[in-house]
Amino acid sequence: MENDLNYIYEKWHLYAKNRQTQELINLYAEDAVFESPLVPRILDTKSGILKGKNEILRFLEEGTKRRPNELVRWYRNGDSYMAKETLIWEYPRETPDGDQIDILELMKIKDGKITNHRIYWGWFGTETLIKSALKKNE
């Protein structure tokens, strides 16, 4: 199991950073559940929950198209938590190159695939989301 967690830790970051959505979606189980406050902003839905690879892929593809954002630096400090089927890491607000969107990735892994993926936003990222939502509603 530890090898699966390490593999997901390395490959998810690499594929997401490099906009490799097909490789990224292949890390997910067919019936995976994905949750993020960004889902309603990207897909214009009421819920932040996506079920199944098709819904998740649609989010990943659309999110990748919209990503040029100076606050997405992809900085990780190398710390992660891996135990049983749980993988957690952070993209901290403070980076060597300035602030970035601060989020925590929490995944459940089974049989080498992501079955549940939840993204928790820190105060800086949340403020950025709120500002974006307010602009959209003006």
PDB file of all heavy atoms in Angstrom, residues 36-59:
ATOM      1  N   SER A  36     -14.502  19.569  -3.939  1.00  0.00           N
ATOM      2  CA  SER A  36     -13.722  20.803  -3.862  1.00  0.00           C
ATOM      3  C   SER A  36     -14.656  22.003  -3.955  1.00  0.00           C
ATOM      4  O   SER A  36     -15.629  21.972  -4.724  1.00  0.00           O
ATOM      5  CB  SER A  36     -12.714  20.864  -5.011  1.00  0.00           C
ATOM      6  OG  SER A  36     -12.117  22.145  -5.096  1.00  0.00           O
ATOM      7  N   PRO A  37     -14.350  23.086  -3.236  1.00  0.00           N
ATOM      8  CA  PRO A  37     -15.148  24.297  -3.390  1.00  0.00           C
ATOM      9  C   PRO A  37     -14.960  24.950  -4.756  1.00  0.00           C
ATOM     10  O   PRO A  37     -15.723  25.829  -5.139  1.00  0.00           O
ATOM     11  CB  PRO A  37     -14.648  25.208  -2.263  1.00  0.00           C
ATOM     12  CG  PRO A  37     -13.320  24.688  -1.884  1.00  0.00           C
ATOM     13  CD  PRO A  37     -13.311  23.224  -2.217  1.00  0.00           C
ATOM     14  N   LEU A  38     -13.977  24.503  -5.507  1.00  0.00           N
ATOM     15  CA  LEU A  38     -13.754  25.047  -6.843  1.00  0.00           C
ATOM     16  C   LEU A  38     -14.704  24.450  -7.886  1.00  0.00           C
ATOM     17  O   LEU A  38     -14.936  25.060  -8.929  1.00  0.00           O
ATOM     18  CB  LEU A  38     -12.294  24.813  -7.255  1.00  0.00           C
ATOM     19  CG  LEU A  38     -11.760  25.609  -8.420  1.00  0.00           C
ATOM     20  CD1 LEU A  38     -11.936  27.107  -8.207  1.00  0.00           C
ATOM     21  CD2 LEU A  38     -10.296  25.278  -8.650  1.00  0.00           C
ATOM     22  N   VAL A  39     -15.275  23.301  -7.602  1.00  0.00           N
ATOM     23  CA  VAL A  39     -16.167  22.639  -8.559  1.00  0.00           C
ATOM     24  C   VAL A  39     -17.305  23.564  -9.000  1.00  0.00           C
ATOM     25  O   VAL A  39     -17.523  23.749 -10.203  1.00  0.00           O
ATOM     26  CB  VAL A  39     -16.698  21.292  -8.016  1.00  0.00           C
ATOM     27  CG1 VAL A  39     -17.821  20.749  -8.892  1.00  0.00           C
ATOM     28  CG2 VAL A  39     -15.565  20.274  -7.912  1.00  0.00           C
ATOM     29  N   PRO A  40     -18.057  24.182  -8.078  1.00  0.00           N
ATOM     30  CA  PRO A  40     -19.146  25.060  -8.526  1.00  0.00           C
ATOM     31  C   PRO A  40     -18.660  26.258  -9.338  1.00  0.00           C
ATOM     32  O   PRO A  40     -19.352  26.728 -10.240  1.00  0.00           O
ATOM     33  CB  PRO A  40     -19.798  25.527  -7.218  1.00  0.00           C
ATOM     34  CG  PRO A  40     -19.399  24.527  -6.200  1.00  0.00           C
ATOM     35  CD  PRO A  40     -18.051  24.028  -6.618  1.00  0.00           C
ATOM     36  N   ARG A  41     -17.461  26.754  -9.057  1.00  0.00           N
ATOM     37  CA  ARG A  41     -16.914  27.897  -9.796  1.00  0.00           C
ATOM     38  C   ARG A  41     -16.530  27.490 -11.221  1.00  0.00           C
ATOM     39  O   ARG A  41     -16.716  28.261 -12.149  1.00  0.00           O
ATOM     40  CB  ARG A  41     -15.662  28.455  -9.086  1.00  0.00           C
ATOM     41  CG  ARG A  41     -15.923  28.976  -7.714  1.00  0.00           C
ATOM     42  CD  ARG A  41     -16.730  30.263  -7.657  1.00  0.00           C
ATOM     43  NE  ARG A  41     -16.170  31.282  -8.504  1.00  0.00           N
ATOM     44  CZ  ARG A  41     -16.900  32.107  -9.255  1.00  0.00           C
ATOM     45  NH1 ARG A  41     -18.203  32.050  -9.257  1.00  0.00           N
ATOM     46  NH2 ARG A  41     -16.323  33.016  -9.991  1.00  0.00           N
ATOM     47  N   ILE A  42     -15.994  26.287 -11.381  1.00  0.00           N
ATOM     48  CA  ILE A  42     -15.524  25.840 -12.697  1.00  0.00           C
ATOM     49  C   ILE A  42     -16.669  25.289 -13.544  1.00  0.00           C
ATOM     50  O   ILE A  42     -16.766  25.578 -14.736  1.00  0.00           O
ATOM     51  CB  ILE A  42     -14.419  24.762 -12.551  1.00  0.00           C
ATOM     52  CG1 ILE A  42     -13.188  25.334 -11.842  1.00  0.00           C
ATOM     53  CG2 ILE A  42     -14.044  24.146 -13.888  1.00  0.00           C
ATOM     54  CD1 ILE A  42     -12.408  26.353 -12.618  1.00  0.00           C
ATOM     55  N   LEU A  43     -17.559  24.511 -12.928  1.00  0.00           N
ATOM     56  CA  LEU A  43     -18.609  23.832 -13.691  1.00  0.00           C
ATOM     57  C   LEU A  43     -19.983  24.490 -13.549  1.00  0.00           C
ATOM     58  O   LEU A  43     -20.951  24.000 -14.116  1.00  0.00           O
ATOM     59  CB  LEU A  43     -18.698  22.363 -13.262  1.00  0.00           C
ATOM     60  CG  LEU A  43     -17.453  21.521 -13.524  1.00  0.00           C
ATOM     61  CD1 LEU A  43     -17.690  20.080 -13.081  1.00  0.00           C
ATOM     62  CD2 LEU A  43     -17.038  21.572 -14.988  1.00  0.00           C
ATOM     63  N   ASP A  44     -20.067  25.574 -12.790  1.00  0.00           N
ATOM     64  CA  ASP A  44     -21.324  26.291 -12.585  1.00  0.00           C
ATOM     65  C   ASP A  44     -22.416  25.351 -12.054  1.00  0.00           C
ATOM     66  O   ASP A  44     -23.516  25.265 -12.601  1.00  0.00           O
ATOM     67  CB  ASP A  44     -21.767  26.978 -13.878  1.00  0.00           C
ATOM     68  CG  ASP A  44     -22.788  28.076 -13.605  1.00  0.00           C
ATOM     69  OD1 ASP A  44     -22.786  28.648 -12.496  1.00  0.00           O
ATOM     70  OD2 ASP A  44     -23.608  28.346 -14.511  1.00  0.00           O
ATOM     71  N   THR A  45     -22.063  24.621 -10.991  1.00  0.00           N
ATOM     72  CA  THR A  45     -22.996  23.712 -10.340  1.00  0.00           C
ATOM     73  C   THR A  45     -23.263  24.207  -8.923  1.00  0.00           C
ATOM     74  O   THR A  45     -22.547  25.066  -8.405  1.00  0.00           O
ATOM     75  CB  THR A  45     -22.426  22.284 -10.252  1.00  0.00           C
ATOM     76  OG1 THR A  45     -21.236  22.318  -9.452  1.00  0.00           O
ATOM     77  CG2 THR A  45     -22.100  21.719 -11.621  1.00  0.00           C
ATOM     78  N   LYS A  46     -24.273  23.666  -8.276  1.00  0.00           N
ATOM     79  CA  LYS A  46     -24.564  24.021  -6.883  1.00  0.00           C
ATOM     80  C   LYS A  46     -23.731  23.196  -5.917  1.00  0.00           C
ATOM     81  O   LYS A  46     -23.463  23.625  -4.809  1.00  0.00           O
ATOM     82  CB  LYS A  46     -26.043  23.834  -6.591  1.00  0.00           C
ATOM     83  CG  LYS A  46     -26.919  24.808  -7.354  1.00  0.00           C
ATOM     84  CD  LYS A  46     -28.359  24.681  -6.948  1.00  0.00           C
ATOM     85  CE  LYS A  46     -29.214  25.465  -7.903  1.00  0.00           C
ATOM     86  NZ  LYS A  46     -29.732  26.672  -7.439  1.00  0.00           N
ATOM     87  N   SER A  47     -23.333  22.013  -6.325  1.00  0.00           N
ATOM     88  CA  SER A  47     -22.597  21.100  -5.455  1.00  0.00           C
ATOM     89  C   SER A  47     -21.111  21.100  -5.788  1.00  0.00           C
ATOM     90  O   SER A  47     -20.722  21.259  -6.945  1.00  0.00           O
ATOM     91  CB  SER A  47     -23.143  19.675  -5.608  1.00  0.00           C
ATOM     92  OG  SER A  47     -22.344  18.764  -4.894  1.00  0.00           O
ATOM     93  N   GLY A  48     -20.302  20.876  -4.775  1.00  0.00           N
ATOM     94  CA  GLY A  48     -18.869  20.732  -4.961  1.00  0.00           C
ATOM     95  C   GLY A  48     -18.446  19.279  -5.042  1.00  0.00           C
ATOM     96  O   GLY A  48     -17.272  18.971  -4.932  1.00  0.00           O
ATOM     97  N   ILE A  49     -19.409  18.383  -5.238  1.00  0.00           N
ATOM     98  CA  ILE A  49     -19.133  16.943  -5.255  1.00  0.00           C
ATOM     99  C   ILE A  49     -19.304  16.392  -6.665  1.00  0.00           C
ATOM    100  O   ILE A  49     -20.318  16.642  -7.318  1.00  0.00           O
ATOM    101  CB  ILE A  49     -20.093  16.193  -4.300  1.00  0.00           C
ATOM    102  CG1 ILE A  49     -19.953  16.742  -2.881  1.00  0.00           C
ATOM    103  CG2 ILE A  49     -19.828  14.691  -4.333  1.00  0.00           C
ATOM    104  CD1 ILE A  49     -21.024  16.244  -1.936  1.00  0.00           C
ATOM    105  N   LEU A  50     -18.299  15.642  -7.105  1.00  0.00           N
ATOM    106  CA  LEU A  50     -18.357  14.958  -8.398  1.00  0.00           C
ATOM    107  C   LEU A  50     -18.241  13.463  -8.155  1.00  0.00           C
ATOM    108  O   LEU A  50     -17.467  13.025  -7.304  1.00  0.00           O
ATOM    109  CB  LEU A  50     -17.200  15.418  -9.297  1.00  0.00           C
ATOM    110  CG  LEU A  50     -17.162  16.908  -9.606  1.00  0.00           C
ATOM    111  CD1 LEU A  50     -15.883  17.260 -10.351  1.00  0.00           C
ATOM    112  CD2 LEU A  50     -18.389  17.328 -10.387  1.00  0.00           C
ATOM    113  N   LYS A  51     -18.993  12.686  -8.934  1.00  0.00           N
ATOM    114  CA  LYS A  51     -18.987  11.231  -8.775  1.00  0.00           C
ATOM    115  C   LYS A  51     -18.654  10.569 -10.099  1.00  0.00           C
ATOM    116  O   LYS A  51     -19.326  10.804 -11.101  1.00  0.00           O
ATOM    117  CB  LYS A  51     -20.337  10.742  -8.263  1.00  0.00           C
ATOM    118  CG  LYS A  51     -20.629  11.256  -6.865  1.00  0.00           C
ATOM    119  CD  LYS A  51     -21.952  10.761  -6.342  1.00  0.00           C
ATOM    120  CE  LYS A  51     -22.160  11.321  -4.938  1.00  0.00           C
ATOM    121  NZ  LYS A  51     -23.431  10.914  -4.378  1.00  0.00           N
ATOM    122  N   GLY A  52     -17.608   9.752 -10.079  1.00  0.00           N
ATOM    123  CA  GLY A  52     -17.216   9.004 -11.265  1.00  0.00           C
ATOM    124  C   GLY A  52     -16.185   9.736 -12.111  1.00  0.00           C
ATOM    125  O   GLY A  52     -16.073  10.961 -12.072  1.00  0.00           O
ATOM    126  N   LYS A  53     -15.431   8.954 -12.854  1.00  0.00           N
ATOM    127  CA  LYS A  53     -14.347   9.503 -13.654  1.00  0.00           C
ATOM    128  C   LYS A  53     -14.823  10.497 -14.716  1.00  0.00           C
ATOM    129  O   LYS A  53     -14.118  11.464 -14.998  1.00  0.00           O
ATOM    130  CB  LYS A  53     -13.558   8.372 -14.315  1.00  0.00           C
ATOM    131  CG  LYS A  53     -12.632   7.663 -13.346  1.00  0.00           C
ATOM    132  CD  LYS A  53     -11.934   6.468 -13.962  1.00  0.00           C
ATOM    133  CE  LYS A  53     -10.832   6.847 -14.880  1.00  0.00           C
ATOM    134  NZ  LYS A  53      -9.990   5.682 -15.255  1.00  0.00           N
ATOM    135  N   ASN A  54     -15.983  10.277 -15.299  1.00  0.00           N
ATOM    136  CA  ASN A  54     -16.451  11.195 -16.340  1.00  0.00           C
ATOM    137  C   ASN A  54     -16.661  12.602 -15.805  1.00  0.00           C
ATOM    138  O   ASN A  54     -16.245  13.587 -16.427  1.00  0.00           O
ATOM    139  CB  ASN A  54     -17.735  10.675 -16.996  1.00  0.00           C
ATOM    140  CG  ASN A  54     -17.483   9.466 -17.868  1.00  0.00           C
ATOM    141  OD1 ASN A  54     -16.372   9.234 -18.330  1.00  0.00           O
ATOM    142  ND2 ASN A  54     -18.518   8.671 -18.071  1.00  0.00           N
ATOM    143  N   GLU A  55     -17.311  12.716 -14.641  1.00  0.00           N
ATOM    144  CA  GLU A  55     -17.533  14.034 -14.043  1.00  0.00           C
ATOM    145  C   GLU A  55     -16.209  14.665 -13.611  1.00  0.00           C
ATOM    146  O   GLU A  55     -15.993  15.861 -13.813  1.00  0.00           O
ATOM    147  CB  GLU A  55     -18.475  13.932 -12.836  1.00  0.00           C
ATOM    148  CG  GLU A  55     -19.909  13.673 -13.198  1.00  0.00           C
ATOM    149  CD  GLU A  55     -20.836  13.695 -11.993  1.00  0.00           C
ATOM    150  OE1 GLU A  55     -20.437  14.169 -10.905  1.00  0.00           O
ATOM    151  OE2 GLU A  55     -21.996  13.243 -12.139  1.00  0.00           O
ATOM    152  N   ILE A  56     -15.342  13.864 -13.028  1.00  0.00           N
ATOM    153  CA  ILE A  56     -14.050  14.381 -12.573  1.00  0.00           C
ATOM    154  C   ILE A  56     -13.217  14.847 -13.763  1.00  0.00           C
ATOM    155  O   ILE A  56     -12.599  15.925 -13.725  1.00  0.00           O
ATOM    156  CB  ILE A  56     -13.294  13.324 -11.747  1.00  0.00           C
ATOM    157  CG1 ILE A  56     -14.082  12.989 -10.469  1.00  0.00           C
ATOM    158  CG2 ILE A  56     -11.892  13.805 -11.398  1.00  0.00           C
ATOM    159  CD1 ILE A  56     -13.585  11.758  -9.719  1.00  0.00           C
ATOM    160  N   LEU A  57     -13.211  14.080 -14.838  1.00  0.00           N
ATOM    161  CA  LEU A  57     -12.450  14.466 -16.029  1.00  0.00           C
ATOM    162  C   LEU A  57     -12.960  15.789 -16.597  1.00  0.00           C
ATOM    163  O   LEU A  57     -12.157  16.645 -16.983  1.00  0.00           O
ATOM    164  CB  LEU A  57     -12.510  13.365 -17.098  1.00  0.00           C
ATOM    165  CG  LEU A  57     -11.767  13.673 -18.399  1.00  0.00           C
ATOM    166  CD1 LEU A  57     -10.278  13.927 -18.140  1.00  0.00           C
ATOM    167  CD2 LEU A  57     -11.957  12.539 -19.390  1.00  0.00           C
ATOM    168  N   ARG A  58     -14.251  15.961 -16.643  1.00  0.00           N
ATOM    169  CA  ARG A  58     -14.809  17.230 -17.147  1.00  0.00           C
ATOM    170  C   ARG A  58     -14.292  18.408 -16.327  1.00  0.00           C
ATOM    171  O   ARG A  58     -13.903  19.448 -16.868  1.00  0.00           O
ATOM    172  CB  ARG A  58     -16.334  17.161 -17.102  1.00  0.00           C
ATOM    173  CG  ARG A  58     -17.030  18.273 -17.837  1.00  0.00           C
ATOM    174  CD  ARG A  58     -18.509  17.980 -18.006  1.00  0.00           C
ATOM    175  NE  ARG A  58     -19.204  17.854 -16.750  1.00  0.00           N
ATOM    176  CZ  ARG A  58     -19.955  18.804 -16.192  1.00  0.00           C
ATOM    177  NH1 ARG A  58     -20.111  19.948 -16.812  1.00  0.00           N
ATOM    178  NH2 ARG A  58     -20.559  18.615 -15.039  1.00  0.00           N
ATOM    179  N   PHE A  59     -14.243  18.249 -15.012  1.00  0.00           N
ATOM    180  CA  PHE A  59     -13.724  19.291 -14.126  1.00  0.00           C
ATOM    181  C   PHE A  59     -12.234  19.527 -14.384  1.00  0.00           C
ATOM    182  O   PHE A  59     -11.782  20.674 -14.494  1.00  0.00           O
ATOM    183  CB  PHE A  59     -13.950  18.909 -12.659  1.00  0.00           C
ATOM    184  CG  PHE A  59     -13.255  19.806 -11.696  1.00  0.00           C
ATOM    185  CD1 PHE A  59     -13.776  21.043 -11.373  1.00  0.00           C
ATOM    186  CD2 PHE A  59     -12.050  19.415 -11.109  1.00  0.00           C
ATOM    187  CE1 PHE A  59     -13.122  21.882 -10.486  1.00  0.00           C
ATOM    188  CE2 PHE A  59     -11.398  20.245 -10.225  1.00  0.00           C
ATOM    189  CZ  PHE A  59     -11.933  21.486  -9.910  1.00  0.00           C
TER     190      PHE A  59
END
